[in-house]
Amino acid sequence: MLKLAIRSFAHHRAGAVATGLVALVGMILVTAMTSLLGTGLAAGTAAADRAFLVQFPLIMGGWVIAIVLFAMVSTISVALGGRAGEIAGLRLIGASPHQVQRLLVIETAAVSAVAALPGLAGGHLVGSAVMRGIRSAGLTDPASVYAPGVLLPVLGVLVVLAASVLAAWIGSRALARRSPVADAAPPPRRRKGRRPGGRRRLAAVITIAAGLGSSAAALGMDPADVRTTAMTGPGCVLVAVGLCVLAPELVAAANATLRAFRGADGAASSHLAAINLAAAPDRVRPAVTFLTLFVGVAAGTLSMQGIENSAGTADGTGQVLASINYFVVALIAAFMGIALTNNLVASITRRRTEFAVMSLIGSTRAQTHRMLVGEMAAATAVSVAAGSGGAFLSVLPFALVKTGNPLAAAAPLPYALTVLIGTGVTLGVSSLVGSRVIRTASP
């Protein structure tokens, strides 16, 4: 099994590199948080600083681990999408679904293990930089020095390794269990009264309801209470995650948008983009997932901080909350940018054969490129709309408690900044990678 995993790794370097990058960045972020936690628990840390240096990394570390697991599952699923033929071949020669899953888990664990030492070193540096920033802002006593220790940073690396193994098992389950002759078999009959994806939609609704409930709890709290922020932050994350689970429905909305646009301009590229979204929605689903998560969490967090600033919170606690909020956005922006780029590159590269066929039947490079950009533009539009709507609803109770003005939750700058970054990454990567792949695919 190990030899087969090594051989498979050699033939699928692109997917391994994408998985390795996500694991590396995840290790750096988690190790930075565990290093700060070690500092908070160190004997030389001032007693007044312990609460912050323990609570901050615990809150942030939990968010980061959840996002790492989410990103790893999506990245592995996209990478495995291009290996359906290989996995079907393994099944045809007698490999069981569990054997296929073990093979893919070994590959992922090996790739993640390679990133362990760089991730540990990078996390140490990031943790040190964060500690210097906190100390320079006067949030901690100068006597509290950076002392991460050894045990907790290593534990952070092991946590990400475990998350990568779990992500590989989850991400490969459906593909490993798929029949190797599924394309030749008739589609299975659906049970009467059951709709596909019902459990997924129910889970999404429950998650969104939990997030909105967490945010609404701030309505019964004092405006100066720190718990108003503590309840609204997780509420933004839960609502964004719930919307991500509804990615198939968002892709369907993107397809409807493209069809309406096609009717307005009659362009061939819009027509082809609408057909592609309807026939193969999985191609843009990762982009919708990550972009919705980024916009929902980043716009919500920046809106919260803008409301805090307008409310005139400038004491030590306000500075700590500002640092946490801005740091959350920076982490999510960096991590989601890498994960989104990896998934876009993988999904577009897999379409080389499709682009070659389009060239043979008369489509020009410009027409094919406009088709691809049209697909991504429609996906970006629905992701931005969903993420922004979720952020506004999550922050609305916070705005009412802090300012009494519901329009404070719709301040344009946080949304404009978040949408600009997310749209720029999505359309920029799609355009650049698409141009290269289309050019190489043309005869």
Side-chain angles (χ1 to χ4, degrees), residues 238-259:
L238 287 173
V239 171
V241 169
L243 291 172
C244 290
V245 178
L246 293 176
E249 285 71 26
L250 294 178
V251 174
N255 185 29
T257 302
L258 262 182
R259 290 184 180 277

Side-chain angles (χ1 to χ4, degrees), residues 66-114:
I67 293 174
V68 168
L69 179 61
F70 190 79
M72 289 287 289
V73 170
S74 181
T75 301
I76 290 170
S77 299
V78 173
L80 293 180
R83 300 174 59 181
E86 171 198 348
I87 294 173
L90 292 173
R91 292 291 312 280
L92 286 172
I93 62 176
S96 68
H98 284 291
Q99 287 176 322
V100 173
Q101 282 186 275
R102 283 198 297 271
L103 168 66
L104 300 174
V105 165
I106 291 173
E107 289 181 29
T108 304
V111 171
S112 300
V114 171

Side-chain angles (χ1 to χ4, degrees), residues 288-317:
V288 170
T289 298
F290 283 114
L291 190 55
T292 302
L293 181 65
F294 170 71
V295 173
V297 177
T301 306
L302 289 176
S303 293
M304 288 169 56
Q305 189 53 48
I307 294 169
E308 288 277 9
N309 295 340
S310 65
T313 306
D315 57 4
T317 301

